[in-house]
Amino acid sequence: MPSTTVETPPKADGASLSHGLKQRHLSMIALGGVIGAGLFVGSGAGIAAAGPSIVLAYALSGLLVMLVMRMLGEMSAARPSSGSFSAHAERAIGPWAGFTAGWSYWVLLCTAVGLEGIGAAKIVTGWLPGTPEWAWVALFMVVFCGTNLAAVRNFGEFEFWFAALKVGAITLFLGLGVLAVAGVLPGTDSPGTSHLTDFLPNGGEGLVIGLLASVFAYGGLETVTIAAAESEDPVKGVASAVRTAMWRIALFYVGSMAVIVTLVPWDSPAVVEDGPYVAALDRLGIPGAGELMNVVVLVALLSAMNANIYGASRIGYSLVERGQGPKALGRVSGGVPRIAVLASCVFGFLCVLLSYWRPDDVFSWLLNMIGAVILVVWIFIAVSQLRLRRRLEREAEGKPAVLMWAYPWLTWVALAGMAAVLVLMAREPGTRAQLYSTGGMTLALAAAGYVRQRARARS
């Protein structure tokens, strides 16, 4: 099969996924997908633990993510598929691996939809006190479920403008921050390096906590390789997204952390209480900084909801198309897997209800269960790339659009980095439960996938 085949299997009724995403949609999804809610919401705790060394933590985890994206880009440019890494794992390792990677990621995305809905509702109820949170969550779910039930270009348009707002906001933040650090912003004095003298205030332990926080802030970059299968030119879209991943990560993540810890003392209570971006804008004397950042965080959360519903529905659809789930989820109408969209939204809303009904046991157990899923997915990506590279070189009719750097050595370096993160998670009391719960879910899915694989082989 030629290396540029798009894996969107034809349906019995002739219906299949559309290719309604334009190149501008995919470019902006790639650009804005880097700027997740985790960057705005979760980075404060990492700064409080690691101090100025949070810049090093984000740089190290960013290097790991760049390698993962390069590996995923190599496989996705060769075989664009709505199943992305799940389809690649099935080809490289076996059906049980595709089943495990795909369904664990589906659970992660659907649960994240619920969490993001709750976070967005809290912001809105802060503006409109007295309104019930559940009503706002329900409204958001209905809006984005409707968006994803319609043609895929509607999802693309929503994400295009969400991403444009996020990119504009963080670019403005970085511009103001750099001017302030340089001492040329009117009304502000440059802090110089006065806030950077104690680089490791809490020693190596603080750096470890910051590193773990930064790793999980990068989750969600995989969506662009899922969306590429429904674009006008999947290979070009994936190649462009992967090639620009390095500067996007360096600029938006590492750059913003460097600006924040230079402008604001790392141990300032405002970093955690108000959020690092609000604390930095307050330091610059920007009026209404808190509300301004609340708007940006709200946009980031709504963007993540939209993208995760899309990603979950396409992963579910791809799994069913490969015989790895209930057939009903694979029905396509108008180029959209509408039953898969509805199932993803229902699971997401169920997570919201669990957060109200059983916050201390069932919901917390669910959160722990998905805590390290992204690392499981990255491991499947690395192992798949190791096994598929030689096959790609044999099948490619020309030079592949994307190739992993220094194969196989950097792939092994990435796997070693993932193993190190797992060891660090096992050492930290705060992440140990997540590691064990995710491990239990992964083993259960792997066992179920292997049993299905054996049963299908016998039949």
Side-chain angles (χ1 to χ4, degrees):
M1 183 179 292
S3 62
T4 56
T5 299
V6 181
E7 293 184 357
T8 50
K11 305 286 291 182
D13 59 3
S16 60
L17 294 183
S18 69
H19 292 272
L21 291 178
K22 299 182 181 298
Q23 190 59 40
R24 68 180 180 89
H25 294 148
L26 206 62
S27 297
M28 194 57 80
I29 289 170
L31 192 60
V34 176
I35 310 168
L39 177 62
F40 297 113
V41 179
S43 54
I47 293 172
S53 68
I54 192 68
V55 178
L56 176 61
Y58 270 90
L60 289 173
S61 53
L63 285 172
L64 177 59
V65 173
M66 287 176 196
L67 296 178
V68 171
M69 284 300 293
R70 190 79 186 185
M71 289 183 277
L72 183 56
E74 177 183 287
M75 296 183 291
S76 295
R79 288 282 188 92
S81 168
S82 57
S84 187
F85 51 83
S86 173
H88 305 322
E90 181 168 328
R91 289 173 54 227
I93 306 169
W96 71 269
F99 181 93
T100 305
W103 285 117
S104 61
Y105 196 68
W106 184 85
V107 173
L108 168 66
L109 291 183
C110 292
T111 306
V113 167
L115 290 173
E116 288 143 1
I118 294 169
K122 288 184 184 296
I123 292 175
V124 177
T125 53
W127 294 333
L128 301 170
T131 55
E133 279 187 17
W134 66 266
W136 288 109
V137 175
L139 175 63
F140 298 146
M141 292 295 292
V142 168
V143 168
F144 293 120
C145 187
T147 300
N148 280 278
L149 285 172
V152 71
R153 66 175 176 272
N154 287 10
F155 158 77
E157 283 298 322
F158 264 89
E159 278 306 291
F160 179 87
W161 293 110
F162 278 150
L165 285 169
K166 290 189 293 183
V167 170
I170 201 164
T171 301
L172 179 61
F173 172 84
L174 287 169
L176 292 172
V178 170
L179 291 176
V181 170
V184 296
L185 187 69
T188 61
D189 297 321
S190 173
T193 59
S194 59
H195 300 150
L196 306 177
T197 51
D198 193 1
F199 190 71
L200 279 168
N202 294 315
E205 196 69 19
L207 178 60
V208 166
I209 295 172
L211 180 63
L212 293 177
S214 65
V215 165
F216 298 108
Y218 286 109
L221 294 179
E222 307 81 10
T223 303
V224 70
T225 61
I226 298 173
E230 292 183 78
S231 66
E232 296 172 327
D233 190 341
V235 176
K236 179 181 177 182
V238 169
S240 174
V242 170
R243 287 178 184 140
T244 59
M246 181 176 295
W247 72 260
R248 287 183 282 124
I249 289 171
L251 178 64
F252 295 139
Y253 278 84
V254 182
S256 61
M257 288 300 106
V259 166
I260 289 167
V261 296
T262 303
L263 290 176
V264 184
W266 68 270
D267 54 354
S268 170
V271 170
V272 175
E273 294 170 5
D274 302 329
Y277 290 84
V278 173
L281 290 174
D282 282 338
R283 165 72 173 75
L284 301 181
I286 305 296
E291 291 309 314
L292 178 65
M293 284 310 303
N294 273 338
V295 172
V296 176
V297 172
L298 177 64
V299 168
L301 288 166
L302 296 179
S303 171
M305 281 187 75
N306 190 35
N308 287 342
I309 291 172
Y310 171 83
S313 65
R314 269 39 177 199
I315 285 286
Y317 162 81
S318 176
L319 284 162
V320 171
E321 285 301 294
R322 306 195 313 268
Q324 303 278 27
K327 292 182 179 179
L329 295 181
R331 293 177 185 168
V332 175
S333 175
V336 176
R338 290 183 172 143
I339 304 300
V341 171
L342 289 171
S344 302
C345 291
V346 167
F347 191 93
F349 199 69
L350 175 62
C351 294
V352 175
L353 297 178
L354 287 174
S355 74
Y356 292 121
W357 294 338
R358 306 294 294 269
D360 297 325
D361 46 21
V362 178
F363 188 62
S364 61
W365 171 78
L366 184 62
L367 293 183
N368 281 332
M369 193 171 69
I370 64 168
V373 165
I374 197 65
L375 281 171
V376 172
V377 167
W378 290 354
I379 289 170
F380 274 118
I381 289 171
V383 174
S384 299
Q385 192 266 339
L386 275 175
R387 296 175 68 98
L388 289 177
R389 174 62 174 268
R390 298 301 183 198
R391 196 183 307 177
L392 167 64
E393 291 174 343
R394 290 195 303 270
E395 294 176 351
E397 296 176 349
K399 184 179 179 181
V402 180
L403 281 176
M404 177 60 180
W405 303 303
Y407 172 85
W409 307 112
L410 283 182
T411 303
W412 283 111
V413 168
L415 278 168
M418 296 170 206
V421 173
L422 291 175
V423 171
L424 293 176
M425 288 188 73
R427 287 181 61 249
E428 292 295 324
T431 54
R432 193 176 297 139
Q434 296 177 12
L435 178 63
Y436 295 158
S437 297
T438 299
M441 180 183 73
T442 302
L443 288 174
L445 286 173
Y450 185 73
V451 169
R452 287 176 59 88
Q453 179 177 321
R454 296 284 293 176
R456 291 178 67 183
R458 285 195 298 270
S459 63

